[in-house]
């Protein structure tokens, strides 16, 4: 048999970061390919622990119990992905920084789940947030002010080309502000005065000027993302409907939009409370304090426009771990292409759909790697084809935001017409969009547009990638299925996929027609 498929396995590593935040614990498991590719998330899990709920200065027994219960869930997921111990990093932020019984809690975590907790300084937390932002937005060469509002503190960092110029941590967070003011019946005016005084006392504005200022402002963390989502959904304008013009909208909002959302959030009455809880879900308890804090930061620093990063501390920890694991060869600015795919996927997909997209891409890669080992293809599949395939899987369900009917067509139009994918050629964008468009329903005619202009080899390659996409989308819908391997029979006629609970036998001739 001849060998037309590249058979060398693509090198990959699995890394994990755990962020023990004041409000919530976050687990991130990624598959990293440092040679020219940024990491791809394969699992995310978030637990609303609220470490400082009972006490702002110590970790109560109730909080510790909630924390350990969450970390046991995390450990189970980590073990299921066979993550090496030296690829796991667990970090803690403000709640543990100021906890009187910090050492006791850290020891309890190690004894119960075997995780070593690294309690970050405010400055180190700010640096890692900046690294996380660089994995999401193309701002590496700009002087960037990153603002990250947490439950117990807010981090400010100015960075350029991967180097930090200034890092400041203020003990202003949405949880502690809520506990100090909202829950004690103290008014919003007093909370605003307190925030202004704290910012003035820190000399933050002066420090920023002394560091030569900044070109762009980026907000991260769940609070800022929730506010951006409220702006995007028209919360402050009573819209809350998706507008097709949003296809071209980027991750950003301005002073006027922020003020509109804050004004709505600060409205009194049961109707607004119900609306807020319905829109912000678990975050509704702390969103008013977080939004007011952000508005005061805008005013104090003269910010008019803020870009928003879906990535923050957890992704920064991953990037830092990769840089250390691969002796500095991991490029913090690598692959603007893949970052734009992830931005688009998270732009139009909520947590549940993003989880489906991650699993779809994982299944597709397993099938793809198995097919590359076959010997009787008349087409060569290379690493770029895998990139197109994974991109299509991450983007396959973004059109659902407009409604389920014909969502594959809407996904195609968003990819093609939204100017979201950067550093891809027009032909590459067309290919990714077509893989998404033809994941379901009718298959395109090979002698008609858009495939008419393709070469014979390009058509065969498209058919293979399209069938992998279709199969992966179908398989990921079964939430109880975990694809563990792809077994191939020594024949050009059939191959077998062996998932955990399903057994498929598909004719190979369909793949090369």
């Amino acid at each position: 048999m001849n060998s037309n498929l590249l058979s060398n396995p693509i090198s990959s590593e699995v890394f994990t970061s755990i962020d023990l935040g004041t409000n919530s614990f976050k687990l991130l498991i990624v598959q990293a390919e440092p040679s020219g590719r940024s990491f791809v998330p394969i699992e995310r899990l978030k637990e609303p622990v609220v470490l400082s709920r009972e006490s702002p200065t110590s970790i109560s027994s109730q909080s510790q119990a909630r924390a350990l219960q969450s970390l046991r869930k995390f450990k189970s997921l980590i073990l299921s992905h066979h993550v090496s111990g030296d690829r796991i990093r667990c970090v803690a932020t403000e709640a543990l920084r100021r906890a009187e019984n910090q050492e006791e809690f850290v020891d309890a975590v190690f004894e119960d789940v075997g995780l070593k907790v690294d309690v970050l300084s405010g400055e180190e937390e700010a640096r890692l947030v900046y690294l996380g932002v660089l994995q999401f937005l193309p701002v590496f060469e700009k002087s960037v002010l990153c603002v990250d509002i947490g439950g117990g503190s807010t981090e400010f960092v100015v960075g350029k080309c991967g180097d930090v110029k200034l890092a400041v941590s203020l003990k202003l967070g949405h949880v502690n502000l809520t506990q100090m003011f909202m829950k004690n019946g103290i008014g919003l005016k007093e909370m605003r005065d307190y925030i202004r005084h704290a910012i003035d006392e820190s000399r933050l504005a002066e420090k920023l000027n002394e560091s030569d200022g900044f070109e762009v402002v980026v907000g991260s963390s769940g609070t800022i993302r929730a506010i951006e989502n409220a702006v995007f959904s028209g919360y402050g304008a009573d819209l809350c409907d998706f507008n097709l013009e949003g296809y071209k909208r980027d991750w950003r909002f301005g002073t006027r939009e922020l003020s509109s959302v804050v004004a709505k959030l600060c409205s009194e009455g049961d109707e607004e409370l119900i609306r807020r809880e319905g829109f912000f879900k678990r975050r509704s308890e702390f969103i008013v304090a977080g939004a007011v804090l952000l508005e005061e930061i805008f005013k104090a620093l003269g910010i008019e426009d803020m870009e928003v990063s879906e990535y923050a501390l957890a992704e920064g920890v991953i990037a830092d771990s990769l840089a250390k694991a691969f002796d500095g060869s991991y490029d913090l600015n690598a692959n603007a292409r893949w970052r734009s795919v992830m931005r688009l996927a998270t732009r139009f997909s909520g947590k549940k759909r993003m989880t489906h997209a991650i699993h779809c891409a994982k299944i597709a890669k397993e099938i793809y790697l198995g097919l590359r080992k076959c010997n009787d293809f008349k087409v060569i599949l290379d690493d770029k084809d895998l990139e197109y395939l994974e991109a299509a899987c991450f983007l396959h369900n973004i059109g659902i935001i407009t409604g389920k009917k014909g969502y594959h067509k809407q996904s195609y139009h968003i990819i093609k017409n939204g100017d979201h994918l950067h550093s891809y050629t027009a032909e590459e964008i067309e290919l990714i969009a077509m893989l998404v468009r033809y994941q379901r329903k009718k298959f395109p005619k090979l002698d008609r547009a858009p495939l008419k202009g393709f070469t014979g080899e390009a058509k065969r390659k498209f058919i293979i990638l399209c069938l992998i996409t279709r199969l992966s989308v179908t398989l990921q819908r079964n939430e109880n299925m975990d694809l563990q391997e792809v077994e191939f029979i020594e024949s050009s006629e059939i191959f077998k996929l062996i998932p955990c609970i399903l057994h498929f036998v598909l004719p190979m001739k369909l793949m090369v027609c």
Side-chain angles (χ1 to χ4, degrees), residues 257-274:
E257 294 164 311
L258 172 60
S259 296
S260 178
V261 170
V262 173
K264 193 68 179 176
L265 287 172
C266 293
S267 301
E268 297 181 353
D270 293 338
E271 183 179 342
E272 174 54 30
L273 179 61
I274 293 171

Side-chain angles (χ1 to χ4, degrees), residues 21-46:
T22 301
N23 184 39
S24 59
F25 286 9
K26 303 180 189 71
L27 169 72
L28 172 62
I29 302 176
V30 307
Q31 181 169 293
E33 298 171 9
S35 56
R37 289 284 305 277
S38 57
F39 56 80
V40 176
I42 54 178
E43 289 286 357
R44 288 186 186 272
L45 186 60
K46 180 179 177 181

Side-chain angles (χ1 to χ4, degrees), residues 263-327:
K264 193 68 179 176
L265 287 172
C266 293
S267 301
E268 297 181 353
D270 293 338
E271 183 179 342
E272 174 54 30
L273 179 61
I274 293 171
R275 188 170 184 268
R276 183 193 310 157
E277 290 177 347
F279 187 88
F280 292 97
K281 306 294 190 296
R282 290 175 178 173
R283 193 171 294 280
S284 63
E285 181 181 1
F286 306 112
I287 192 62
V288 175
V292 169
L293 171 57
L294 184 61
E295 187 175 39
E296 290 303 324
I297 290 171
F298 265 57
K299 292 176 182 178
L301 303 183
I303 298 171
E304 296 182 357
D305 188 69
M306 173 176 276
E307 294 192 45
V308 179
S309 172
E310 178 72 10
Y311 290 178
L313 179 60
E315 291 78 11
V317 170
I318 292 291
D320 195 53
S321 296
L322 290 174
K324 293 173 180 175
F326 298 103
D327 297 322

Side-chain angles (χ1 to χ4, degrees), residues 186-312:
I186 304 175
L188 288 170
K189 181 181 182 303
E190 288 77 10
M191 182 168 70
R192 288 185 182 275
D193 290 341
Y194 178 84
I195 294 169
R196 290 168 188 165
H197 178 73
I199 295 175
D200 289 343
E201 283 286 300
S202 71
R203 295 185 58 253
L204 179 60
E206 291 87 341
K207 290 176 182 177
L208 289 171
N209 288 332
E210 291 167 4
S211 69
D212 296 328
F214 47 86
E215 299 172 73
V216 62
V217 183
V218 174
S220 57
S221 76
T223 293
I224 294 178
R225 291 196 300 272
I227 292 170
E228 190 280 335
N229 185 50
V231 170
F232 179 65
S233 302
Y235 183 90
D238 287 323
L239 298 177
C240 290
D241 287 321
F242 179 75
N243 188 326
L244 291 183
E245 291 299 316
Y247 280 1
K248 296 181 181 293
R249 182 188 177 90
D250 210 347
W251 294 72
R252 65 173 65 243
F253 58 86
T255 305
R256 190 173 178 179
E257 294 164 311
L258 172 60
S259 296
S260 178
V261 170
V262 173
K264 193 68 179 176
L265 287 172
C266 293
S267 301
E268 297 181 353
D270 293 338
E271 183 179 342
E272 174 54 30
L273 179 61
I274 293 171
R275 188 170 184 268
R276 183 193 310 157
E277 290 177 347
F279 187 88
F280 292 97
K281 306 294 190 296
R282 290 175 178 173
R283 193 171 294 280
S284 63
E285 181 181 1
F286 306 112
I287 192 62
V288 175
V292 169
L293 171 57
L294 184 61
E295 187 175 39
E296 290 303 324
I297 290 171
F298 265 57
K299 292 176 182 178
L301 303 183
I303 298 171
E304 296 182 357
D305 188 69
M306 173 176 276
E307 294 192 45
V308 179
S309 172
E310 178 72 10
Y311 290 178

Side-chain angles (χ1 to χ4, degrees), residues 108-161:
V109 170
F110 185 76
E111 291 173 10
D112 192 287
V113 293
L115 288 171
K116 181 180 178 182
V117 179
D118 179 9
V119 182
L120 302 173
S121 67
E123 290 72 20
E124 177 64 2
E125 181 183 350
R127 184 185 75 86
L128 292 173
V129 167
Y130 171 55
L131 295 187
V133 167
L134 291 182
Q135 307 310 298
F136 192 77
L137 293 171
V139 293
F140 184 80
E141 295 179 353
K142 296 180 180 179
S143 182
V144 183
L145 168 62
C146 299
V147 181
D148 187 275
I149 296 177
S153 65
T154 296
E155 273 45 70
F156 300 86
V157 57
V158 176
K160 185 174 183 178
C161 298

Side-chain angles (χ1 to χ4, degrees), residues 213-502:
F214 47 86
E215 299 172 73
V216 62
V217 183
V218 174
S220 57
S221 76
T223 293
I224 294 178
R225 291 196 300 272
I227 292 170
E228 190 280 335
N229 185 50
V231 170
F232 179 65
S233 302
Y235 183 90
D238 287 323
L239 298 177
C240 290
D241 287 321
F242 179 75
N243 188 326
L244 291 183
E245 291 299 316
Y247 280 1
K248 296 181 181 293
R249 182 188 177 90
D250 210 347
W251 294 72
R252 65 173 65 243
F253 58 86
T255 305
R256 190 173 178 179
E257 294 164 311
L258 172 60
S259 296
S260 178
V261 170
V262 173
K264 193 68 179 176
L265 287 172
C266 293
S267 301
E268 297 181 353
D270 293 338
E271 183 179 342
E272 174 54 30
L273 179 61
I274 293 171
R275 188 170 184 268
R276 183 193 310 157
E277 290 177 347
F279 187 88
F280 292 97
K281 306 294 190 296
R282 290 175 178 173
R283 193 171 294 280
S284 63
E285 181 181 1
F286 306 112
I287 192 62
V288 175
V292 169
L293 171 57
L294 184 61
E295 187 175 39
E296 290 303 324
I297 290 171
F298 265 57
K299 292 176 182 178
L301 303 183
I303 298 171
E304 296 182 357
D305 188 69
M306 173 176 276
E307 294 192 45
V308 179
S309 172
E310 178 72 10
Y311 290 178
L313 179 60
E315 291 78 11
V317 170
I318 292 291
D320 195 53
S321 296
L322 290 174
K324 293 173 180 175
F326 298 103
D327 297 322
S329 63
Y330 180 77
D331 185 356
L332 290 172
N333 193 38
N335 212 315
R337 292 157 61 96
W338 190 252
R339 286 201 306 269
S340 67
V341 170
M342 299 308 296
R343 281 199 303 277
L344 179 54
T346 51
R347 165 79 287 175
F348 293 104
S349 297
K351 181 179 178 182
K352 186 174 181 180
R353 290 204 301 274
M354 196 64 192
T355 299
H356 291 166
I358 289 170
H359 289 164
C360 182
K362 181 181 176 183
I363 293 169
K365 183 172 183 178
E366 291 298 322
I367 298 173
Y368 171 89
L369 292 177
L371 286 175
R372 288 212 336 181
K373 297 175 183 177
C374 291
N375 296 315
D376 201 27
F377 273 108
K378 297 178 181 179
V379 61
I380 295 176
L381 295 177
D382 57 30
D383 290 356
K384 274 198 171 183
D385 296 316
L386 176 58
E387 181 182 348
Y388 305 145
L389 180 63
E390 288 184 307
C393 288
F394 270 101
L395 301 174
H396 81 275
N397 57 11
I398 59 175
I400 292 179
I401 196 170
T402 66
K404 290 188 176 180
K405 185 177 181 181
Y407 76 87
H408 57 302
K409 297 179 182 179
Q410 298 294 352
S411 299
Y412 172 87
H413 289 301
I414 293 173
I415 296 168
K416 274 282 291 178
N417 304 319
D419 193 27
H420 293 289
L421 300 187
H422 302 155
S423 300
Y424 285 92
T425 66
E427 291 76 15
E428 289 174 321
I429 293 174
E430 175 70 31
L431 175 59
I432 294 169
M434 284 173 56
L435 290 175
V436 170
R437 164 67 177 81
Y438 293 105
Q439 63 175 284
R440 59 198 295 263
K441 303 295 185 179
K442 289 184 178 180
F443 203 78
K445 300 287 186 180
L446 298 184
D447 58 347
R448 297 180 186 176
L451 289 177
K452 186 175 181 180
F454 281 36
T455 65
E457 181 179 359
K459 288 179 181 178
R460 289 192 293 271
K461 184 176 289 191
F462 172 79
I463 292 169
I464 294 171
L465 296 179
C466 192
L467 286 172
I468 296 174
T469 305
R470 286 186 168 217
L471 182 56
S472 302
V473 170
T474 300
L475 295 180
Q476 65 84 22
R477 288 178 183 149
N478 189 324
E479 296 181 356
N480 297 317
M481 189 210 70
D482 180 18
L483 189 68
Q484 294 183 330
E485 65 175 303
V486 183
E487 178 184 335
F488 290 83
I489 295 177
E490 288 284 332
S491 167
S492 62
E493 294 299 320
I494 62 172
F495 67 92
K496 289 195 294 186
L497 302 178
I498 306 184
C500 199
I501 63 170
L502 298 176

